[in-house]
Amino acid sequence: MGVPGPVPGSPGSPDAPVLGREEVDRALARLGAEYEAIETSLLALQDHAGRRLLEGADLSGTTKERWAATERSIAVLWSLFDAYTATLEAARALRARHRWPSPQELAELTELLHGESVTVPGTTAAGGGPEGGPARRTERYTLEDLVGRMNGLYARSLDVIVAADAVWSALPARIDLLSAELQRTRSLAHSVGVRPGEHPAGDDLERITDELHRLRARVIADPLAFWVSSAAGSSAPGGGRPDTARYDRAARALEDIRREVAAVLDVRQDAERRLMLLRDVLSRADRTLTEARQARGEVLAKIAASEVPAVSGPSTALHEQLAAAAEYRRRAQWHRLSPLLDSLEDRAEDELHRARESLTAVTAPLAVRAELRGRLDAYKAKVARHGMAEDPLLTERYDVARRMLWSAPCDLRAAEHAVWRYQQAAAEAMASPPLEGEGDS
């Protein structure tokens, strides 16, 4: 809805020439087309979905103020259009009187078409202005000036309507979709124990729910509070975009909660397997410690003068925490079970490692005795292969070492020395040349 402004020096100024018949006809044709365009625009504005929504909405804040001003502007628009229509019809009626209008009629037509021939009540003119101000009794306009005035009012009115409609078209639907997703997430969260007062994510879900309720109510009541005008200063109606910052924050927060709930859900699905593995690891650690305690008693009984480290009992704290984990699983408190399982898995492996180290330390003397026994038998077999099994010295030293290693309690240091003496004697005997005559048949 717009036409070019008046051209300087055109008819309508005091010294402007009177229009000819053909000029009048061309002006009437142009104004007729302009009338059709203005009427179409005003009817479209009247039927705009955004305008109907604004009329029926319980508005507040910025939107309430701007819509009140816009309604006044629309009323002024129709008043100005009525004045435009009346002037155009008067000009058409005057032109229709004669095929060849008289000079007087041409002068009157010139005044109607290009002079300040349109009288508008002062309240109408002032009421439509953005700045208000004191109302004058009447305002006089040329048709082109009147169109310019209507263009300004129309653009401002359409800008409010289009902006509100754009926000209402964009945000409430997105908020509703996010709210539906939030309800699905909340249901799943509750099933895995993520509830308000019990888990931070449960509290966050309540906070996001309240935020979406408040946001939707505010968007419906004050859509223009969520409109960001174009930074480029576009003159097009509705030049800008809906402000989705609050919605985006809520969507990101909900996505974070969904990931956390998914992680807790994974814990629920895998909890029994992890608990079974934990029980197995702790059971192996307990059995290893039991074996270490039994081995310690054996060492103390069989090995003399040996320092055997003490063996601790099973970890009471770990077994209590394992029982707590099983209870969390039974009560579906998955959010508490998850961090506990992570901690228990690491500590249970450490406990098994500690038990194995304890068993190794306790059985070290028995391992030394076993190694000495093996070494003694290995040398005896080597001596026999060299035909010295009946050597009296070797037999004596072997018997001494064997008695020490197979007696209880065993003195490891003395036994080790006896094995060494047997090794030395065997080495010397195998290195000596045979006596003269040995081996003759």
Side-chain angles (χ1 to χ4, degrees), residues 179-242:
S179 296
E181 181 61 31
L182 185 146
Q183 292 305 317
R184 288 191 292 271
T185 302
R186 173 191 278 178
S187 177
L188 182 60
H190 281 204
S191 72
V192 296
V194 178
R195 300 182 180 91
E198 298 181 11
H199 191 281
D203 297 331
D204 289 341
L205 277 172
E206 291 301 304
R207 180 183 57 77
I208 296 172
T209 301
D210 293 342
E211 166 66 3
L212 289 180
H213 283 317
R214 291 195 301 270
L215 178 60
R216 194 181 194 284
R218 179 79 189 282
V219 166
I220 295 301
D222 192 8
L224 295 183
F226 297 88
W227 182 254
V228 179
S229 298
S230 174
S234 172
S235 60
R241 60 175 178 79

Side-chain angles (χ1 to χ4, degrees), residues 12-17:
S13 55
D15 56 348

Side-chain angles (χ1 to χ4, degrees), residues 35-348:
Y35 170 86
E36 296 289 340
I38 294 172
E39 184 180 43
T40 299
S41 297
L42 289 177
L43 291 174
L45 183 69
Q46 197 71 12
D47 291 336
H48 197 289
R51 187 198 64 80
R52 293 197 298 271
L53 289 173
L54 283 164
E55 281 188 339
D58 184 12
L59 302 174
S60 64
T62 301
T63 307
K64 182 177 182 178
E65 295 175 4
R66 293 188 63 185
W67 175 239
T70 299
E71 283 188 306
R72 293 193 296 271
S73 295
I74 292 175
V76 170
L77 262 174
W78 281 104
S79 296
L80 296 180
F81 180 67
D82 289 343
Y84 179 94
T85 302
T87 301
L88 179 61
E89 288 178 351
R92 285 173 170 171
L94 180 58
R95 176 65 184 88
R97 288 180 187 175
H98 302 97
R99 181 179 179 184
W100 301 96
S102 66
Q104 179 62 33
E105 290 173 333
L106 288 174
E108 292 180 19
L109 285 169
T110 299
E111 177 61 22
L112 285 172
L113 297 178
H114 291 294
E116 293 182 347
S117 57
V118 185
T119 302
V120 178
T123 53
T124 298
E131 68 285 344
R136 289 173 286 181
R137 290 186 177 181
T138 58
E139 290 278 0
R140 297 183 64 83
Y141 294 93
T142 66
L143 286 175
E144 289 186 355
D145 289 342
L146 190 65
V147 170
R149 178 94 168 123
M150 285 191 289
N151 279 340
L153 291 171
Y154 176 85
R156 288 193 294 274
S157 301
L158 185 61
D159 186 67
V160 169
I161 292 171
V162 169
D165 188 52
V167 172
W168 277 335
S169 297
L171 274 175
R174 295 171 71 179
I175 293 170
D176 290 343
L177 288 174
L178 189 61
S179 296
E181 181 61 31
L182 185 146
Q183 292 305 317
R184 288 191 292 271
T185 302
R186 173 191 278 178
S187 177
L188 182 60
H190 281 204
S191 72
V192 296
V194 178
R195 300 182 180 91
E198 298 181 11
H199 191 281
D203 297 331
D204 289 341
L205 277 172
E206 291 301 304
R207 180 183 57 77
I208 296 172
T209 301
D210 293 342
E211 166 66 3
L212 289 180
H213 283 317
R214 291 195 301 270
L215 178 60
R216 194 181 194 284
R218 179 79 189 282
V219 166
I220 295 301
D222 192 8
L224 295 183
F226 297 88
W227 182 254
V228 179
S229 298
S230 174
S234 172
S235 60
R241 60 175 178 79
D243 180 4
T244 62
R246 284 178 62 180
Y247 167 86
D248 293 337
R249 283 195 298 271
R252 287 193 299 270
L254 180 58
E255 182 60 28
D256 291 341
I257 294 174
R258 287 178 60 190
R259 284 195 292 268
E260 185 165 352
V261 171
V264 174
L265 185 60
D266 289 341
V267 172
R268 183 181 72 172
Q269 294 172 342
D270 205 28
E272 184 58 30
R273 181 188 66 83
R274 294 175 70 183
L275 281 171
M276 288 179 62
L277 289 176
L278 275 170
R279 292 190 187 100
D280 178 63
V281 171
L282 287 180
S283 176
R284 283 154 54 197
D286 292 346
R287 290 196 303 270
T288 302
L289 288 174
T290 300
E291 184 180 351
R293 286 192 296 273
Q294 293 172 348
R296 186 173 188 273
E298 181 182 356
V299 169
L300 291 174
K302 294 181 178 181
I303 308 297
S306 179
E307 295 182 0
V308 184
V311 179
S312 65
S315 173
T316 303
L318 284 179
H319 282 278
E320 289 176 350
Q321 290 180 353
L322 182 60
E327 183 66 12
Y328 287 155
R329 181 185 180 280
R330 188 181 69 79
R331 295 184 178 182
Q333 294 179 328
W334 310 109
H335 61 290
R336 295 183 177 177
L337 178 60
S338 177
L340 182 56
L341 285 178
D342 292 340
S343 172
L344 274 174
E345 284 168 345
D346 292 337
R347 295 176 62 192

Side-chain angles (χ1 to χ4, degrees), residues 405-426:
L405 288 171
W406 267 267
S407 63
C410 171
D411 187 336
L412 283 179
R413 292 180 181 177
E416 185 176 14
H417 182 67
V419 171
W420 177 80
R421 290 182 69 217
Y422 176 67
Q423 287 179 246
Q424 289 294 105

